[in-house]
Amino acid sequence: MGGTPTDLKLIDENGRRIDGRLPEEMRPLKIEAGVLKRADGSAYVEWGNNKVMAAVYGPRECHPRHLQNPERALVQCHYNMASFSVDDRKRPGPDRRSHEISKIISEALTNVVFTEYFPRTSIDVYIEVLQANAGTRCAGLTAASVALADAGVPMRDLVASCAAGKVADTVVVDLNKEEDNFGNADIPVGYVPRTGEIVLLQMDGDLSQEQFEKGLGMAVEACKKVSVLQRDALKRRYAAKADEGAEPTEIREGA
Ligand code: CDP
């Protein structure tokens, strides 16, 4: 947000953005499921210049115990940015921003997980941002949904996420870092394609009602594309698992 440097043209005379995209065009998105051996489920997402890893543990006994809910599981997301993920070294450890993002992602995922199947447990979702270029909460939520499915956690649907925003008075999707810094608004959206529900919606900046509605519609369309790639990643994962056949027995020396 803030003033645009005079030499930075966010939208050119052909209506293209600084990285050559059209307003409704997302950055390239690659999703891979099941990338970590130790976690119950995992996913890795490269989205433009964002690189994000998600790992899921659980359902498992909920700690601290006073958070246990006798009727349902608690979905606890822990979002973290590596100190080397941004231009200026990020001070390691939690801060206000990471708490906020962890909370909104936990809430978005709680809407789709059948938490009532696993009373008293916790489903822990760890999101590690290795490289950030704006839109990491959307990339994190997208990766976390795939990681939950990879862990076999029963869900109504995957949550797909993408932001819309406004740059140089034009409504666009999936803002990159320059657009996020010098644009006028950012609306991250989490969408459940099966039900049409919106489970994450935030807004930062200035938009007219008409621009907001246009942006929301564009973000939802982008989320539908994200959802297709999430499913493809899981299908590839299961095809690979089927090819491997039964898990090989581990042979230990001296056993
Ligand atoms: O990443 P997201 O757009 O969901 O959240 P944000 O708070 O709007 O941050 C936008 C971008 O600012 C991040 O993706 C990072 O590239 C950058 N950032 C940073 O450089 N240093 C921080 N401490 C936090 C964010």
Side-chain angles (χ1 to χ4, degrees):
M1 303 302 129
T4 315
T6 43
D7 55 344
L8 186 65
K9 223 175 182 182
L10 289 172
I11 303 280
D12 73 9
E13 38 296 322
N14 301 318
R16 298 248 173 207
R17 297 154 66 178
I18 46 176
D19 52 10
R21 284 184 289 155
L22 289 169
E24 62 285 356
E25 217 176 309
M26 279 167 35
R27 290 173 287 182
L29 170 59
K30 276 199 300 192
I31 308 177
E32 202 180 333
V35 287
L36 301 172
K37 255 197 148 44
R38 306 278 173 256
D40 294 324
S42 59
Y44 175 63
V45 163
E46 280 188 10
W47 192 335
N49 285 323
N50 290 308
K51 296 186 179 185
V52 178
M53 184 73 86
V56 168
Y57 292 85
R60 62 185 180 182
E61 194 179 350
C62 181
H63 286 288
R65 285 211 166 179
H66 69 86
L67 290 179
Q68 278 186 5
N69 183 327
E71 283 169 8
R72 52 191 69 245
L74 193 65
V75 180
Q76 301 194 83
C77 172
H78 313 264
Y79 167 101
N80 181 52
M81 249 179 162
S83 50
F84 51 78
S85 65
V86 287
D87 288 340
D88 298 322
R89 174 180 179 276
K90 189 208 162 274
R91 193 163 177 264
D95 52 20
R96 264 178 72 101
R97 178 176 171 276
S98 68
H99 275 124
E100 173 218 320
I101 298 179
S102 300
K103 182 173 186 292
I104 53 138
I105 293 182
S106 302
E107 287 171 2
L109 294 171
T110 301
N111 278 289
V112 290
V113 171
F114 286 103
T115 53
E116 60 275 26
Y117 290 3
F118 307 103
R120 295 186 189 283
T121 67
S122 170
I123 299 170
D124 296 307
V125 180
Y126 295 88
I127 295 173
E128 294 290 330
V129 178
L130 306 176
Q131 190 171 288
N133 196 249
T136 59
R137 71 193 67 207
C138 298
L141 177 52
T142 297
S145 300
V146 175
L148 279 167
D150 182 49
V153 172
M155 289 188 282
R156 291 177 180 86
D157 197 0
L158 301 170
V159 181
S161 182
C162 187
K166 186 172 80 169
V167 294
D169 233 23
T170 307
V171 181
V172 300
V173 292
D174 190 22
L175 278 68
N176 66 23
K177 185 77 174 81
E178 289 73 21
E179 293 175 325
D180 187 81
N181 281 1
F182 304 116
N184 324 105
D186 185 17
I187 327 170
V189 173
Y191 179 70
V192 184
R194 178 167 299 180
T195 58
E197 285 168 286
I198 288 175
V199 290
L200 186 158
L201 180 63
Q202 297 184 286
M203 191 169 109
D204 174 10
D206 234 5
L207 285 172
S208 67
Q209 187 168 343
E210 198 183 317
Q211 287 169 333
F212 170 77
E213 280 164 15
K214 183 172 181 195
L216 185 58
M218 282 166 72
V220 165
E221 286 313 306
C223 287
K224 290 179 185 166
K225 294 179 193 158
V226 171
S227 168
V228 172
L229 298 177
Q230 288 176 307
R231 276 157 217 282
D232 285 351
L234 288 164
K235 283 182 198 156
R236 280 199 306 279
R237 165 78 170 141
Y238 286 103
K241 264 191 176 171
D243 281 349
E244 280 168 21
E247 290 272 321
T249 323
E250 199 177 335
I251 299 169
R252 293 177 195 211
E253 257 182 82

